[in-house]
C-alpha cells in the first residue's frame, strides 16, 4: 500500500489520540503513567469516534492500542472517586448503559472491523475491549486479567458474556471467579485472541493485519461480522434469512464484481471497499 494520508476529521482529547490515517482510524489510549486506565471522557470520546466511523465510508478498519508499556489496566476507579464529589448511590446502574457498556456494544456490533494491539496489562474493561474486538494481536508476555473477584465486586462491560464465548465456561470461571491471570501466549492457545507474537514483532504483525483488512472487501467483511454476531443468538431459520440478505447485498457491491473479474482473469483482486 502507498503511504496513507493523515486526515483530521476525528478529534483527539487528553488521554486519547484519535487519528484517521488513510482508511485506518487509530484510537490510542494515552495515559501511560496510569497504565492507560480509562476515564469517563475517554470512554465518551471512544464512543463518539466509533459511532462516527461506522457510517464513514472512508474508514475501512479501526486500530485500537495503548501508548507505552501497557494496553489498558482497566477503569480509573480511584480517580473517579477522588475528592469530595463522589458519585451517589445508584450512579453505576444509571451510567453504565450509555457509557462503558455502550462502548463494548459498539465494538461488537459496528460493521467496521476492529483490530486490537496489546502489550503489558489488559485488565477489566481493558480485557473486554480486547474480547470485543474482531482481532487481537498480543505480545506473548502480555497479562490478561479479570480483577473483579480480588476487588470484591462483580464483572461489568460484558465480561461474563464475552469471555465464555471465547474460552468456554470452565476457563471463564477460572478467570472471573478465581482471578487467574493469563499470558498472551496462553490466551492465543485458548482461542481468546487472534495471535500472540514476541514483543519485537508486535507492531509489524499488527500493521500487516490492519493493512490486509484495509484492502479487503469492506462490505463483505462488515456483513460477515454482522452475521457472526447475530448468529450467536438467532434461531437457524432466522439466521439463514440473514445470510440470504447479506448475500444479496454483498453480491451487488463493486468489490464482488472485481473479485469475480479477478478470478476470471487470474489476477489478484483490487478491492475499493465499495
Amino acid at each position: 500500500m502507498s503511504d496513507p494520508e493523515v486526515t483530521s476529521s476525528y478529534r483527539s482529547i487528553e488521554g486519547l489520540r484519535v487519528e484517521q490515517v488513510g482508511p485506518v482510524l487509530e484510537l490510542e489510549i494515552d495515559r501511560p503513567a496510569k497504565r492507560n486506565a480509562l476515564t469517563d471522557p475517554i470512554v465518551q470520546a471512544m464512543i463518539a469516534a466509533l459511532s462516527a466511523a461506522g457510517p464513514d465510508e472512508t474508514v475501512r478498519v479501526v486500530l485500537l492500542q495503548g501508548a507505552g508499556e501497557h494496553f489498558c489496566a482497566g477503569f480509573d476507579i480511584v480517580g473517579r472517586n477522588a475528592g469530595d464529589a463522589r458519585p451517589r448511590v445508584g450512579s453505576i446502574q444509571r451510567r453504565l448503559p450509555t457509557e462503558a457498556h455502550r462502548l463494548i456494544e459498539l465494538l461488537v456490533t459496528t460493521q467496521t472491523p476492529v483490530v486490537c494491539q496489546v502489550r503489558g496489562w489488559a485488565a477489566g474493561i481493558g480485557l473486554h475491549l480486547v474480547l470485543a474486538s474482531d482481532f487481537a494481536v498480543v505480545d506473548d508476555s502480555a497479562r490478561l486479567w479479570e480483577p473483579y473477584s480480588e476487588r470484591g465486586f462483580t464483572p461489568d462491560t460484558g465480561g461474563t458474556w464475552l469471555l465464555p464465548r471465547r474460552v468456554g465456561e470452565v476457563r471463564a470461571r477460572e478467570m472471573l471467579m478465581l482471578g487467574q491471570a493469563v499470558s498472551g501466549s496462553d490466551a492465543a492457545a485458548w482461542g481468546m485472541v487472534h495471535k500472540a507474537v514476541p514483543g519485537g514483532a508486535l507492531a509489524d504483525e499488527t500493521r500487516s493485519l490492519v493493512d490486509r483488512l484495509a484492502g479487503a472487501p469492506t462490505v463483505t467483511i462488515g456483513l460477515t461480522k454482522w452475521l457472526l454476531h447475530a448468529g450467536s443468538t438467532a434461531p437457524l431459520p432466522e439466521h439463514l434469512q440473514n445470510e440470504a440478505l447479506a448475500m444479496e447485498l454483498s453480491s451487488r457491491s463493486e468489490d464482488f464484481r472485481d473479485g469475480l473479474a479477478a478470478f476470471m482473469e487470474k489476477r489478484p483482486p483490487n478491492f475499493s471497499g465499495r
Side-chain angles (χ1 to χ4, degrees), residues 12-77:
S12 302
I13 67 164
E14 183 177 356
L16 181 71
R17 180 180 66 83
V18 183
E19 184 175 70
Q20 185 179 355
V21 183
V24 182
L25 179 63
E26 298 183 359
L27 304 181
E28 183 177 66
I29 308 166
D30 189 13
R31 298 183 78 211
K34 296 290 186 179
R35 293 189 175 183
N36 293 324
L38 300 182
T39 64
D40 289 324
I42 291 174
V43 169
Q44 292 159 3
M46 292 175 75
I47 290 171
L50 288 167
S51 297
D56 186 347
E57 294 187 357
T58 69
V59 175
R60 298 174 70 178
V61 59
V62 174
L63 171 60
L64 179 57
Q65 58 191 334
E69 298 179 357
H70 301 281
F71 173 65
C72 174
F75 197 92
D76 189 358
I77 298 176

Side-chain angles (χ1 to χ4, degrees), residues 54-147:
D56 186 347
E57 294 187 357
T58 69
V59 175
R60 298 174 70 178
V61 59
V62 174
L63 171 60
L64 179 57
Q65 58 191 334
E69 298 179 357
H70 301 281
F71 173 65
C72 174
F75 197 92
D76 189 358
I77 298 176
V78 174
R80 172 185 282 158
N81 289 277
D84 297 329
R86 298 180 62 184
R88 67 181 186 270
V89 173
S91 66
I92 293 175
Q93 62 88 21
R94 291 192 299 271
R95 183 182 64 249
L96 279 177
T98 57
E99 295 188 3
H101 284 182
R102 177 58 180 153
L103 173 58
I104 297 298
E105 183 181 13
L106 270 173
L107 288 168
V108 171
T109 60
T110 182
Q111 289 191 21
T112 307
V114 181
V115 176
C116 210
Q117 177 179 283
V118 182
R119 57 168 51 88
W121 282 100
I125 188 176
L127 174 55
H128 304 159
L129 295 176
V130 175
L131 298 176
S133 299
D134 298 292
F135 299 93
V137 183
V138 306
D139 186 329
D140 55 17
S141 64
R143 303 295 287 173
L144 290 75
W145 183 40
E146 297 281 17

Side-chain angles (χ1 to χ4, degrees), residues 260-268:
L260 188 60
F263 174 75
M264 299 294 292
E265 297 166 10
K266 295 181 173 55
R267 61 169 173 83

